[in-house]
Structure formats: structure tokens, C-alpha cells
């Protein structure tokens, strides 16, 4: 599991890649409650590449702030591929950013089901050029561990799959 220092280093490296591309990133966060944005803004000068964060913890916030449809929430639930795709697309549009990261998950200690156990997190990263990646991971550990691992994976996806040449 990444330490605070490792998260900061990954954030700084990601920021440098964004800066080189003259690109910006935004986040739509549910289970992380703004932790991805915090890691970005821990970096001095991040205002050059970090646009804004949408902390969409409730279903209403997901709908009002980033345009998730009520139908998607009812059909698939907040922790689903469809909803994180809508979160990322909505954040990208609202922030007019070049990249958007969206996460939604069940951090625990309760709230899990047989289909979506505690630790289930969906990720979506999209770019203004139309590239997108979604994935789901079931993390182990307590609430803190699930959330920390979610932040690390979200940063890693943006860094490795979208920015690294």
C-alpha cells in the first residue's frame, strides 16, 4: 500500500506530465471524499494543472453536479461502471478539463452485498480526446485502506494509461 510520501511523489510526477502537455485534470469523487483532489493540491503549483473537484458522495450530488442520470443510478447503482463513466464524462464537461478521474465504491465497514462486497471500487478515467478506461477492483482492508488504495490506483491509471509516453 502506498504511503503518503509515495502518493505525493506520484501526484507530483503526474502533475509534471500534465504541465508538459499543458493539460488539466478534474475529479469526481464519491468514496474518497476529495482525497484525490487533496493529493493533487498537496503539490505546490498544482493550480497550473488541477482544475477542480466534484465531491459527489450522495446520489443527488452525482446527478446535480456531474449529470449522472437517475435511470443509471436506479438500474446499476452508484457503484457501477455506468455511473463512474457518467461521473467522469460529466466532470470533464463541467470543468472543461483535458482529463477526468471518477471513483465510486464501498469503503465499508458495511454496505456491501454478495454482488458488490465491501472493498468494491469502480474507476473511470476519460480524456477530452475521447479515450476512456474503466475498471473495477475489490480491495482488502479497512475503510482507510480501501480509500487509500483507491486514490493510488486512480492516480496510477491517469499516469500510466493516459500520460506516460
Amino acid at each position: 500500500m502506498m504511503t503518503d510520501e509515495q502518493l505525493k511523489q506520484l501526484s507530483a510526477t503526474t502533475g509534471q506530465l500534465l504541465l508538459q502537455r499543458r493539460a488539466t485534470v478534474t475529479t469526481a469523487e464519491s468514496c474518497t471524499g476529495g482525497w484525490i483532489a487533496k493529493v493533487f493540491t498537496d503539490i505546490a503549483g498544482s493550480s497550473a494543472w488541477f482544475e477542480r473537484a466534484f465531491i459527489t458522495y450522495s446520489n443527488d450530488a452525482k446527478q446535480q453536479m456531474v449529470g449522472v442520470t437517475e435511470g443509471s443510478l436506479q438500474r446499476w447503482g452508484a457503484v457501477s461502471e455506468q455511473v463512474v463513466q457518467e461521473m467522469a464524462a460529466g466532470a470533464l464537461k463541467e470543468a472543461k478539463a483535458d482529463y477526468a478521474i471518477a471513483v465510486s465504491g464501498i469503503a465499508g465497514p458495511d454496505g456491501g452485498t454478495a454482488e458488490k462486497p465491501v472493498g468494491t471500487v469502480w474507476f473511470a478515467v476519460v480524456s477530452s480526446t475521447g479515450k476512456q478506461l474503466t475498471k473495477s477492483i475489490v480491495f482488502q482492508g479497512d475503510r482507510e485502506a480501501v480509500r487509500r488504495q483507491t486514490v493510488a490506483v486512480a492516480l496510477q491509471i491517469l499516469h500510466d494509461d493516459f500520460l506516460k509516453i
Side-chain angles (χ1 to χ4, degrees):
M1 192 172 339
M2 282 196 186
T3 65
D4 287 346
E5 191 53 43
Q6 289 169 319
L7 284 174
K8 188 173 182 177
Q9 182 56 50
L10 180 56
S11 179
T13 303
T14 300
Q16 284 301 315
L17 292 170
L18 287 162
L19 206 53
Q20 288 168 14
R21 291 172 181 242
R22 293 185 170 89
T24 57
V25 64
T26 186
T27 63
E29 302 181 60
S30 186
C31 61
T32 50
W35 195 344
I36 299 168
K38 181 233 183 282
V39 170
F40 281 152
T41 59
D42 282 345
I43 307 304
S46 59
S47 60
W49 47 268
F50 178 66
E51 176 55 37
R52 68 185 76 168
F54 300 91
I55 301 170
T56 57
Y57 206 70
S58 71
N59 286 349
D60 283 346
K62 287 173 182 62
Q63 293 174 73
Q64 293 166 11
M65 296 173 77
V66 293
V68 172
T69 65
E70 186 175 343
S72 292
L73 288 163
Q74 288 178 356
R75 183 167 180 191
W76 293 293
V79 181
S80 65
E81 181 174 23
Q82 294 79 3
V83 167
V84 292
Q85 285 176 326
E86 289 181 28
M87 288 169 65
L92 191 75
K93 179 183 171 203
E94 291 297 324
K96 297 174 180 59
D98 299 293
Y99 300 94
I101 298 169
V103 295
S104 188
I106 305 163
D110 51 14
T113 64
E115 299 82 33
K116 297 178 187 176
V118 168
T120 302
V121 178
W122 272 99
F123 298 84
V125 179
V126 299
S127 75
S128 58
T129 62
K131 180 177 179 176
Q132 64 178 1
L133 186 151
T134 57
K135 72 190 282 182
S136 176
I137 297 176
V138 179
F139 294 112
Q140 299 302 308
D142 63 11
R143 184 175 181 81
E144 172 86 5
V146 168
R147 295 175 75 225
R148 178 177 293 274
Q149 291 170 91
T150 299
V151 173
V153 168
L155 291 176
Q156 205 74 60
I157 292 170
L158 177 63
H159 180 274
D160 293 352
D161 297 310
F162 286 79
L163 300 175
K164 206 169 165 188
I165 298 170

